[in-house]
């Protein structure tokens, strides 16, 4: 595997440093993807509130400016995604994919859930990280490729954030006066944002699921070892999905969301106690912190989704 240090002497400390740099760059790309998702959801929910006079309080809460929160969120999420190993990240991706398919089927054909998009934040970051790890494995000058990906992702996240700020500040004025091309476009096609996010996330998780399966299977030396791992994993994830579907029918709100996170990570923790490694246990706790951080940061958007 080649990276930025492929031309330098092969020193153990140097190799560790380049590996850490690669992990941070992968985490940054994943954090930027989450930032783009939140920015587009913020735009969509704000437009929905503008069109409904009874939701003015929600509109003001969404439009409230927090200039330091977004960079802090990206920074913390980058560190979390860099710390989480590829094995646990792959398991998080597969668990969310199964849960998302179950939720979409229960909603009915053609239905979308903005809440599901918010709940996938951390899983999206893990999916992007897994996909990059798999696609760039063995690539020539891997770190240069990751640096380019991080630069492009950061640029996209910055423009998405500026779009959200523009909409929250000027959408009402521009949409009435037919003054701004961006706001006029959102006025005409803003209702299509969920469909756009649905297609983008479906493609991202399709690639991430393939990468996750491959990253997990490469640790097994025989088919028997793979069967001993995948059998309890499948049973555990199926029970979790059934439990969460039943819980969602009985209650809603922030308490349910946080309780679901704890149950999911608790199930993954118990599973890895039997078939995992000690580093996997540590990464589960890091993943729990990442999930909670994403949910706390998007609390206002989640409240708006529940009131729709």
């Amino acid at each position: 595997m080649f990276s930025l240090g492929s031309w330098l002497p092969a020193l153990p400390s140097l190799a560790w440093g380049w590996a850490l740099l690669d992990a941070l760059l992968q985490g940054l790309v994943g954090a930027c993807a989450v930032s783009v998702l939140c920015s587009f959801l913020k735009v969509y929910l704000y437009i929905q509130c503008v069109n409904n006079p009874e939701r003015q309080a929600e509109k003001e809460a969404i439009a409230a400016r927090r200039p330091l929160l977004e960079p802090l969120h990206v920074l913390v999420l980058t560190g979390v995604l860099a710390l989480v190993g590829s094995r646990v990240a792959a398991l998080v991706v597969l668990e969310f994919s199964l849960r998302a398919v179950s939720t979409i089927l229960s909603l009915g054909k053609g239905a979308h859930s903005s809440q599901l998009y918010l709940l996938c934040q951390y899983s999206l970051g893990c999916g992007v990280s897994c996909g990059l790890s798999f696609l760039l494995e063995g690539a020539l000058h891997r770190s240069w490729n990751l640096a380019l990906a991080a630069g492009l992702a950061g640029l996209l996240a910055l423009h998405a954030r500026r779009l959200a700020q523009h909409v929250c500040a000027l959408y009402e004025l521009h949409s009435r006066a037919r003054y701004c091309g961006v706001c006029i476009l959102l006025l005409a096609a803003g209702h299509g944002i969920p469909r756009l996010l649905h297609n983008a996330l479906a493609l991202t998780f399709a690639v991430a699921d393939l990468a996750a399966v491959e990253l997990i299977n490469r640790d097994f030396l025989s088919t028997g070892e793979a069967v001993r791992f995948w059998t309890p994993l499948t049973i555990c994830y199926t029970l979790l999905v059934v439990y969460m579907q039943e819980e969602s029918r009985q209650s809603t709100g922030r308490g349910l969301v946080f309780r679901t996170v704890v149950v999911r990570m608790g199930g993954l923790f118990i599973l890895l106690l039997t078939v995992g490694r000690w580093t996997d246990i540590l990464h589960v706790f890091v993943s729990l912190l990442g999930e909670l951080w994403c949910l706390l940061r998007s609390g206002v958007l989640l409240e708006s989704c529940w009131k729709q």
Side-chain angles (χ1 to χ4, degrees):
M1 183 180 298
F2 297 93
S3 63
L4 285 174
S6 57
W7 298 284
L8 300 177
L11 299 176
S13 58
L14 194 61
W16 182 87
W18 293 126
L20 177 60
L21 176 62
D22 289 351
L24 288 173
L25 290 174
Q26 283 184 192
L28 179 58
V29 176
C32 289
V34 174
S35 177
V36 171
L37 172 67
C38 291
S39 294
F40 275 97
L41 281 173
K42 186 175 183 179
V43 169
Y44 172 72
L45 292 173
Y46 183 85
I47 292 174
Q48 297 301 306
C49 292
V50 169
N51 296 331
N52 189 343
E54 298 178 356
R55 301 176 63 184
Q56 295 304 304
E58 294 177 51
K59 183 191 72 174
E60 294 175 0
I62 294 174
R65 299 199 64 179
R66 303 174 182 86
L68 297 179
L69 183 59
E70 180 64 23
L72 177 63
H73 175 67
V74 172
L75 182 63
V76 172
L77 193 54
T78 297
V80 170
L81 293 173
L83 288 175
V84 173
S86 59
R87 186 182 176 95
V88 172
L91 293 175
V92 170
V93 170
L94 293 175
E95 185 273 332
F96 175 79
S97 298
L98 181 61
R99 182 159 46 102
V101 170
S102 175
T103 301
I104 292 173
L105 291 177
S106 66
L107 288 173
K109 185 178 180 180
H112 302 286
S113 172
S114 299
Q115 179 178 333
L116 183 63
Y117 299 149
L118 287 172
L119 296 180
C120 83
Q121 292 179 72
Y122 181 72
S123 301
L124 173 62
C126 289
V128 172
S129 181
C130 283
L132 287 173
S133 179
F134 174 70
L135 294 174
L136 295 178
E137 188 173 11
L140 186 64
H141 309 317
R142 171 190 174 96
S143 296
W144 283 115
N145 296 329
L146 286 172
L148 178 61
L152 293 175
L155 188 63
L156 182 60
L158 179 62
H159 282 289
R161 182 186 176 194
R162 288 178 177 176
L163 173 64
Q165 291 174 345
H166 175 84
V167 169
C168 291
L170 299 171
Y171 175 77
E172 287 186 89
L173 175 63
H174 288 175
S175 60
R176 286 196 302 266
R178 300 296 193 271
Y179 175 73
C180 171
V182 173
C183 293
I184 294 175
L185 177 62
L186 290 173
L187 180 65
H191 61 277
I193 291 179
R195 169 64 65 178
L196 173 66
L197 294 178
H198 175 272
N199 294 335
L201 290 173
L203 178 60
T204 301
F205 277 101
V207 175
D209 288 337
L210 294 175
V213 173
E214 179 61 29
L215 289 173
I216 293 175
N217 282 336
R218 71 181 182 183
D219 292 331
F220 303 127
L221 300 177
S222 65
T223 304
E225 290 184 8
V227 170
R228 284 194 295 271
F229 180 85
W230 284 107
T231 300
L233 177 68
T234 303
I235 295 173
C236 177
Y237 278 2
T238 302
L239 292 176
L240 280 175
V241 169
V242 172
Y243 168 79
M244 286 183 285
Q245 288 291 335
E246 186 63 28
E247 279 285 296
S248 63
R249 295 190 186 97
Q250 296 178 0
S251 61
T252 58
R254 180 170 298 185
L256 172 65
V257 172
F258 286 100
R259 187 163 63 249
T260 299
V261 171
V262 174
V263 170
R264 286 168 43 222
M265 291 301 166
L268 188 57
F269 174 79
I270 295 174
L271 174 68
L272 291 176
L273 277 178
T274 58
V275 296
R277 308 163 182 162
W278 70 269
T279 53
D280 294 335
I281 306 302
L282 176 62
H283 294 156
V284 169
F285 285 107
V286 175
S287 293
L288 176 61
L289 294 178
E291 287 271 16
L292 294 177
W293 173 258
C294 289
L295 292 177
L296 288 171
R297 183 256 180 183
S298 58
V300 173
L301 300 182
L302 278 172
E303 290 285 352
S304 181
C305 288
W306 292 326
K307 293 178 181 178
Q308 284 194 18

